Amino acid sequence: MSGLSRIGVAIDTDLLNKFDRLIEKRGYTNRSEAFRDLIRDELVEQTWESPDSQVVGTVTLVYDHHVRMLNEKLTGIQHDFHHSILSTLHVHLDHDNCLEVLVVRGKSAAVRKVSDALISTKGVKHGTLTITTSGAELK
Ligand code: NI
């Protein structure tokens, strides 16, 4: 069982002022939650560095569906990696552009592989992989 620990941190005043302004802009009502979020970010990031760790994330793609064979290529890649893809959302942004968001889960290395394959496909204008966690190991 995990308890609550209180810690004291020595920090340069200018740095702390900058941090306070930043977290206020982001809507934090106290420093403790902001510090906890920074720590969680680092822990999640570290999980992803290990290729065998189980991870969850999203891949966001923007592309022009008129590019020849692009839809077919992206669908082909998704079928090749169907074990890693839980769900896909497709939005027709305008006459030309599509937005796709894929929810991915699996070993870190496999999730990165499918993400890299999709984002590097010719005709994809922008793509990002967002790293997150199932939350099971974070308080
Ligand atoms: Ni579309």
Side-chain angles (χ1 to χ4, degrees):
M1 217 179 93
S2 170
L4 191 65
S5 298
R6 292 191 181 280
I7 57 166
V9 179
I11 188 166
D12 180 89
T13 306
D14 283 347
L15 186 61
L16 184 61
N17 288 339
K18 283 178 184 166
F19 184 70
D20 283 344
R21 284 198 295 276
L22 176 76
I23 66 175
E24 192 189 340
K25 266 193 217 164
R26 294 192 178 170
Y28 286 101
T29 54
N30 66 66
R31 276 183 200 142
S32 292
E33 186 54 18
F35 276 122
R36 285 191 287 268
D37 276 356
L38 286 176
I39 292 167
R40 290 183 192 117
D41 256 0
E42 286 300 314
L43 291 171
V44 169
E45 189 96 3
Q46 189 203 32
T47 306
W48 276 74
E49 285 168 10
S50 162
D52 284 331
S53 62
Q54 285 290 323
V55 296
V56 179
T58 56
V59 180
T60 304
L61 304 170
V62 174
Y63 61 92
D64 181 342
H65 74 98
H66 293 115
V67 173
R68 201 175 155 273
M69 296 300 288
L70 182 54
N71 266 324
E72 288 80 356
K73 282 180 197 162
L74 294 175
T75 303
I77 293 166
Q78 292 184 41
H79 279 272
D80 287 345
F81 292 94
H82 66 95
H83 289 297
S84 302
I85 300 170
L86 296 179
S87 181
T88 307
L89 169 74
H90 187 108
V91 178
H92 310 300
L93 292 174
D94 57 28
H95 181 73
D96 305 313
N97 294 296
C98 300
L99 167 74
E100 245 174 51
V101 181
L102 292 77
V103 178
V104 289
R105 183 170 71 184
K107 285 188 177 178
S108 174
V111 164
R112 276 186 197 280
K113 202 171 169 188
V114 61
S115 170
D116 288 346
L118 291 165
I119 292 169
S120 66
T121 300
K122 196 179 169 199
V124 173
K125 292 181 178 181
H126 186 244
T128 55
L129 169 62
T130 300
I131 299 164
T132 188
T133 168
S134 66
E137 289 169 16
L138 285 183
K139 295 288 175 193

